[in-house]
Amino acid sequence: MKHTEEFEAIPGFNLEAYPNRDSTNYTTAYGLESAHTIVRGTLRYKGYSSAISGLIKVGLFKNESGELDGFTYKELIKTLLGNRTMSDDQCQQALAAKLNNDRFQVTAIKKLGLLTDEPIPAGVKTPLDALCKKLLSSLMLPSNESDVVIMSHCVGVRWPTGRRENIRSNMVVYGEEDGWSAMAKTVGLPVGIAAKMMMDGEVKERGCVLPLSRSIYEPMLKRLEDEGIYERREVEEADDFMC
């Protein structure tokens, strides 16, 4: 997350992107051995990386077991800052110092409800588990709101003729208010389509099969498009790669 950058390829979204683990594992699977650069990243709304970095600095990602029965979330923060019994003013000062006076990170911790007198649920043993329990409630998607799933690919191509192109495809899928979320649709529909293809005998391979062959992914993409999940592709000739 230290290498987060603004992502402006999709108009209307205030996004940032950061590298997601080792991207080179995909070179062989996708037949991209000749590619000079491959980067697989994660998209989030701007500010996400900073907020998560603040939680990490305070120690809320620690996974060492301890005794948290009877703790409130505020007392957990105070303990991570060095003293469970410090005053609220001392806690504010210690938190600001821990986060190098980053007002955004301090505000994120407050808005997530981590400085409240709410008790930590019984049985929770680690700061990470306590954080997860809190996020489950504070970040629950209300029934009158919808989520969105975004996928973006950018490929810089140099053809044998020397011509260069930037090919970009974007997929944006919205969830339904009081209906299926975008996450549910983009995860569940491909699995359902794959299962039906197997039952109908369209998938001949057996065992653990990746959808990397045209016979699998082309009909699957067409059926996903029928369900409203599709990409928009743009191709532009360029003097240099813009991905």
Side-chain angles (χ1 to χ4, degrees):
M1 291 185 179
K2 295 180 180 178
H3 303 285
T4 300
E5 297 182 359
E6 292 185 5
F7 187 84
E8 300 178 342
I10 305 178
F13 289 95
N14 192 20
L15 301 176
E16 62 185 26
Y18 59 88
N20 188 340
R21 300 188 180 183
D22 185 0
S23 304
T24 58
N25 294 329
Y26 296 89
T27 56
T28 301
Y30 291 113
L32 300 174
E33 290 85 355
S34 63
H36 292 185
T37 303
I38 296 178
V39 177
R40 175 178 181 257
T42 294
L43 297 178
R44 291 290 184 264
Y45 285 118
K46 193 173 292 183
Y48 173 88
S49 296
S50 178
I52 294 296
S53 295
L55 300 179
I56 294 172
K57 289 177 188 176
V58 171
L60 285 161
F61 273 57
K62 291 181 178 178
N63 205 26
E64 296 86 3
S65 293
E67 187 54 60
L68 296 180
D69 286 345
F71 273 66
T72 66
Y73 281 100
K74 184 192 295 182
E75 288 174 330
L76 171 60
I77 295 295
K78 290 180 178 181
T79 299
L80 292 172
L81 292 174
N83 184 359
R84 180 182 179 181
T85 62
M86 70 172 68
S87 68
D88 289 354
D89 286 342
Q90 290 173 327
C91 178
Q92 294 283 353
Q93 294 171 9
L95 181 62
K98 188 72 172 181
L99 300 177
N100 299 316
N101 293 310
D102 189 314
R103 294 181 62 185
F104 181 87
Q105 292 181 344
V106 172
T107 300
I109 287 174
K110 291 179 180 179
K111 286 188 173 182
L112 288 172
L114 294 167
L115 289 178
T116 68
D117 293 319
E118 178 185 345
I120 294 174
V124 171
K125 299 295 184 183
T126 71
L128 180 59
D129 286 342
L131 174 64
C132 290
K133 289 285 188 182
K134 185 58 182 170
L135 296 185
L136 279 173
S137 59
S138 60
L139 297 183
M140 181 72 69
L141 187 69
S143 60
N144 63 341
E145 292 187 10
S146 60
D147 63 337
V148 61
V149 170
I150 299 173
M151 182 181 292
S152 180
H153 293 92
C154 185
V155 182
V157 181
R158 180 187 289 110
W159 298 103
T161 60
R163 182 167 56 92
R164 296 184 179 186
E165 287 182 344
N166 290 314
I167 305 172
R168 184 179 292 280
S169 70
N170 293 325
M171 180 198 77
V172 180
V173 179
Y174 291 97
E176 307 160 4
E177 291 188 15
D178 299 315
W180 294 112
S181 66
M183 182 65 74
K185 290 192 289 186
T186 53
V187 172
L189 284 171
V191 173
I193 292 170
K196 189 172 189 308
M197 290 174 66
M198 291 184 66
M199 290 188 295
D200 292 343
E202 293 183 65
V203 179
K204 306 299 182 184
E205 297 92 334
R206 292 295 181 265
C208 185
V209 179
L210 295 175
L212 300 180
S213 62
R214 288 180 180 271
S215 62
I216 297 177
Y217 68 73
E218 284 189 341
M220 183 176 286
L221 289 173
K222 175 62 175 67
R223 290 161 192 172
L224 284 171
E225 186 174 350
D226 294 339
E227 298 289 345
I229 299 177
Y230 56 89
E231 65 172 0
R232 295 184 182 276
R233 183 174 298 184
E234 297 178 354
V235 180
E236 61 179 4
E237 192 167 345
D239 295 329
D240 199 2
F241 299 135
M242 302 299 293
C243 296

